[in-house]
Amino acid sequence: MSRNKYVLIGTNRITILNNDSSLQAGMISVFRLQPRRLSADGSFPLGGVGFDETLHLVIGDGVHTFYESLAPSKIKQISADTPKEQMDEVSSILLSNDGDGDLETKHKMENFKVKYHLVESQVLGGRDDSSVTTSIKVSILKTCLNSLVRPVWEGHVNNICLAKYEHLPSFAQSALPEQSLRKTSSSGLSFPLMLGDTVDILQTEIKSLRQENQQLSEDTIRWKNTADKLVDQWQTEKNELTESFLVLFNEHKARHVATRKELEELKSNENNLPIGTVSSKQISRREADILPDNEDEHDHATWSDNLVKRLAAGPNKSRRGSREIDRYKSEEKEEASAARPASTSEGTFVNPHTGVLEISNYKRMFDSDDDSDSPPKKKKTCDC
């Protein structure tokens, strides 16, 4: 609710006892201030801003309207955890009828009794001070376990036209007659006006709830249509994603099967090779790992052991070592000339290792008379 307002809790038919012991019919209505916000279950909260536990009693006998407020501080013989629970029980007592409710409620109400007695009373204060008027004495009685009757609340409900305007709640102020017409005899119209205003408020709320319900129904239909469309779209996207996944899965599975088959064929081919047969790759790897490095295949200078020992003697014999090196080089030249095969005529010789005619004289290379690798022919001499 956007603002505080008084709501009608309920009404109940009552019987009023007159001074002459006669009975007349009447009606009681109980109003309560509704807070700005209700609890989650729609009931009144236990307290807070705008909360008021006071009950507002309005009694009508068909001729006059009587009003009185009932605060929790005036209640006796009713124990409760909170003032709200206490006033809820009081309102249920005032609005209950004999024979109404379940067995538990009936048994509970048997201990309480409400009496309405029309009496004469004297007005205190105001413009009608000391004037005599009629009021209704309301007595809420409780029967205890020892059969003693104790009052829960007793009070006089006075004519509404005698109450101060500023002390009345808003629903009672709007039902009062105009100031010039405000008399005790004219208060009878206030009670139906209060009920009429309450009905108008309820009708307005019902209309608002119906409009809200209609709007919610329309929104529900739109949401349902949107949900149906989204379900179809979602199902289509799901099918497309599933189909794409299956295609990719089948392709990957086919590649996996082909690769595995090829691997099995390679393994079977290796197993079918004869004993002692290995592949070329295995041979090359084994040769690279097993064959030692041949020092003779490298081009490097070699020195005799005597020369190495002489050079290792140290720097004190450096001059002698240099002479030894020169001597060693001259010996190498002699050995090379001795090991060189005998040259043939005109700067050529036959290599003893290969059997090929090789040229030792570079001038022979440009000789036009010898174009082949065959040995040169001997010159014929004349015997004459």
Side-chain angles (χ1 to χ4, degrees), residues 7 10 26 73 105 131 193 265 269 282 290 293 340 351 360 372:
V7 294
S73 58
T105 304
S131 61
L193 287 176
E265 290 179 356
N269 293 336
Q282 291 179 347
I290 297 174
D293 189 9
R340 183 180 300 172
N351 191 329
S360 59
S372 61

Side-chain angles (χ1 to χ4, degrees), residues 121-287:
S121 61
Q122 187 176 4
V123 180
L124 300 177
R127 64 177 184 175
D128 298 325
D129 187 18
S130 301
S131 61
V132 179
T133 184
T134 57
S135 62
I136 298 178
K137 181 181 179 181
V138 180
S139 301
I140 303 176
L141 306 176
K142 179 180 180 181
T143 304
C144 301
L145 296 177
N146 53 4
S147 298
L148 294 177
V149 178
R150 298 183 181 277
V152 175
W153 173 74
E154 285 185 350
H156 289 80
V157 183
N158 298 317
N159 193 296
I160 192 172
C161 291
L162 298 177
K164 293 183 179 181
Y165 181 84
E166 59 273 11
H167 292 168
L168 293 175
S170 59
F171 72 92
Q173 291 176 355
S174 60
L176 279 178
E178 296 181 1
Q179 184 67 30
S180 59
L181 303 176
R182 196 171 299 170
K183 300 178 182 180
T184 56
S185 58
S186 62
S187 64
L189 190 61
S190 299
F191 187 69
L193 287 176
M194 294 179 192
L195 296 180
D197 293 341
T198 303
V199 172
D200 293 340
I201 293 174
L202 293 177
Q203 288 291 343
T204 303
E205 291 182 355
I206 291 174
K207 183 178 179 181
S208 177
L209 290 174
R210 286 177 179 175
Q211 293 177 353
E212 184 178 356
N213 186 26
Q214 183 179 0
Q215 184 66 33
L216 289 175
S217 300
E218 295 176 357
D219 294 341
T220 303
I221 294 174
R222 286 196 294 268
W223 276 107
K224 185 177 182 300
N225 296 333
T226 305
D228 294 339
K229 294 178 181 178
L230 290 177
V231 166
D232 297 338
Q233 183 178 359
W234 179 80
Q235 187 65 32
T236 303
E237 294 179 356
K238 181 181 178 181
N239 295 336
E240 292 178 356
L241 291 175
T242 304
E243 184 178 357
S244 301
F245 170 76
L246 292 176
V247 171
L248 294 175
F249 176 77
N250 293 331
E251 291 179 356
H252 178 73
K253 185 177 180 181
R255 290 196 300 268
H256 176 72
V257 171
T259 304
R260 186 173 181 180
K261 185 176 180 182
E262 183 180 357
L263 181 61
E264 291 177 354
E265 290 179 356
L266 292 176
K267 289 182 178 179
S268 61
N269 293 336
E270 290 182 358
N271 294 332
N272 294 332
L273 291 176
I275 299 174
T277 305
V278 293
S279 61
S280 59
K281 293 183 179 181
Q282 291 179 347
I283 292 175
S284 61
R285 287 197 300 269
R286 291 179 182 179
E287 287 181 350

Side-chain angles (χ1 to χ4, degrees), residues 58-72:
V58 179
I59 299 176
D61 62 352
V63 179
H64 303 91
T65 301
F66 305 90
Y67 166 80
E68 184 61 35
S69 63
L70 180 57

Side-chain angles (χ1 to χ4, degrees), residues 321-345:
S322 61
R323 289 197 300 269
E324 292 294 335
I325 292 174
D326 295 337
R327 181 182 174 184
Y328 177 74
K329 289 183 179 181
S330 62
E331 289 178 357
E332 280 188 344
K333 289 181 181 180
E334 291 177 357
E335 290 177 359
S337 62
R340 183 180 300 172
S343 301
T344 58
S345 59

